[in-house]
Amino acid sequence: MDKLKGLKIVNIYHDSAYGKETIPILDAQAKKYGFTVTHIPVAHPGNEQGAQWLQVRQIKPDWVILRGWGVMNPVALKSAAKVGFPRDHIIGVWWSGAEEDTIPAGDAAKGYIAAGFNVAGANFPVIQEIKKYVYAKGKGEMEDQTRIGSIYYNRGVVHGIVTVEAIRTAQAKFGKGKPITPEQMRWGIENLQISEARLKELGATGFMQAIKVTCADHEGGGAVKFQQWDGKQWKVITDWIQPDRELVRSMVEQSAAAYAKEKGITPRDCGKEA
């Protein structure tokens, strides 16, 4: 984080609650680590960004964070190319880093980097088994099978793994093979552990991160890998990288406590539920 000192960063964000939620965090990090950050909103849906990227050209930042959604993302990459801002200095968040964001931008997307809690690729054993036991038997629902192994497809597989493993966790406690109640499912999620060994058994090593969820920590992981678009596909360029957890978690807890007080909510005591 010391390498951020003195840098200029622009945060181009979707002008919505989703887009705005990291503004306070980036401001706090700028103060703590000594960089400057400029926040530039883009109105939904984001197909007009000429003025925003002219502003980027004037600021001449070292890096741009793209917190976009939908059509805003390929338009941002095309607009960046138009003003000559290097795409390999644009970092997208996980809602800005899929093939749907890069392919429509064409050559303008080459070099673009984005974060994700899962990676692209169809060579993982878990994806190969889906192709063998589902699609090869005519049971698949994906009409365009070239999308198998894409970021969004694989993200759906991650959701499936998490859900099924949480059900298994709940059934191990409340009765194997029995239907579980909503409360039991919540317990299963809040006691979910997917180790590296379990990921290997599932054919998902490197596909997603190991997870350990608790009553107090519903995130369970939080790390991301960064991938770079080479013009045709995503290439992983980092290992799993943890977030600025200490700073972010404290801000989340302060915000949650203020909300609970405002709404008259009594927070759960996870210590008593253990």
Side-chain angles (χ1 to χ4, degrees), residues 34-264:
F35 63 88
T36 60
V37 60
T38 303
H39 306 288
I40 301 177
V42 173
H44 182 76
N47 49 15
E48 294 292 338
Q49 298 181 44
Q52 287 89 344
W53 285 93
L54 286 175
Q55 191 176 346
V56 170
R57 187 167 69 178
Q58 291 172 343
I59 295 170
K60 297 180 180 178
D62 297 285
W63 293 92
V64 168
I65 296 170
L66 177 59
R67 192 170 179 81
W69 183 83
V71 71
M72 174 180 163
N73 298 320
V75 171
L77 295 173
K78 289 180 180 179
S79 301
K82 192 173 292 186
V83 301
F85 189 83
R87 268 72 69 215
D88 60 1
H89 278 62
I90 304 176
I91 305 286
V93 303
W94 68 282
W95 266 130
S96 303
E99 289 81 358
E100 287 78 4
D101 304 308
T102 52
I103 292 173
D107 291 341
K110 191 173 182 179
Y112 170 58
I113 300 168
F117 58 79
N118 68 279
V119 298
N123 292 327
F124 295 95
V126 64
I127 302 299
Q128 289 298 310
E129 289 189 5
I130 291 171
K131 292 175 76 172
K132 179 180 178 180
Y133 293 108
V134 180
Y135 285 92
K137 296 184 178 181
K139 297 179 180 179
E141 294 182 351
M142 179 74 74
E143 291 183 7
D144 181 4
Q145 294 187 27
T146 63
R147 294 187 64 199
I148 297 173
S150 68
I151 288 289
Y152 283 150
Y153 183 90
N154 287 4
R155 190 165 295 160
V157 175
V158 170
H159 293 165
I161 290 172
V162 169
T163 302
V164 172
E165 291 298 293
I167 292 170
R168 285 184 173 140
T169 301
Q171 287 183 329
K173 179 177 175 64
F174 299 106
K176 190 174 182 180
K178 295 180 181 179
I180 56 175
T181 67
E183 291 76 16
Q184 291 169 347
M185 182 64 186
R186 186 182 74 176
W187 189 93
I189 294 171
E190 290 188 337
N191 290 271
L192 175 64
Q193 293 189 41
I194 305 177
S195 65
E196 289 292 346
R198 181 57 178 156
L199 286 176
K200 185 176 181 179
E201 291 175 350
L202 294 169
T205 299
F207 181 77
M208 58 182 284
Q209 64 192 288
I211 292 174
K212 183 179 180 180
V213 183
T214 67
C215 169
D217 180 9
H218 281 190
E219 187 173 40
V224 295
K225 283 187 177 182
F226 288 87
Q227 301 168 95
Q228 189 166 33
W229 185 252
D230 69 0
K232 295 181 180 179
Q233 60 186 337
W234 292 104
K235 297 288 188 180
V236 176
I237 58 173
T238 71
D239 200 346
W240 294 110
I241 296 177
Q242 288 292 333
D244 194 353
R245 187 178 297 278
E246 183 179 348
L247 182 146
V248 176
R249 180 74 188 195
S250 65
M251 293 182 71
V252 168
E253 289 181 357
Q254 290 172 24
S255 176
Y259 182 85
K261 183 177 180 180
E262 177 189 343
K263 300 298 183 181

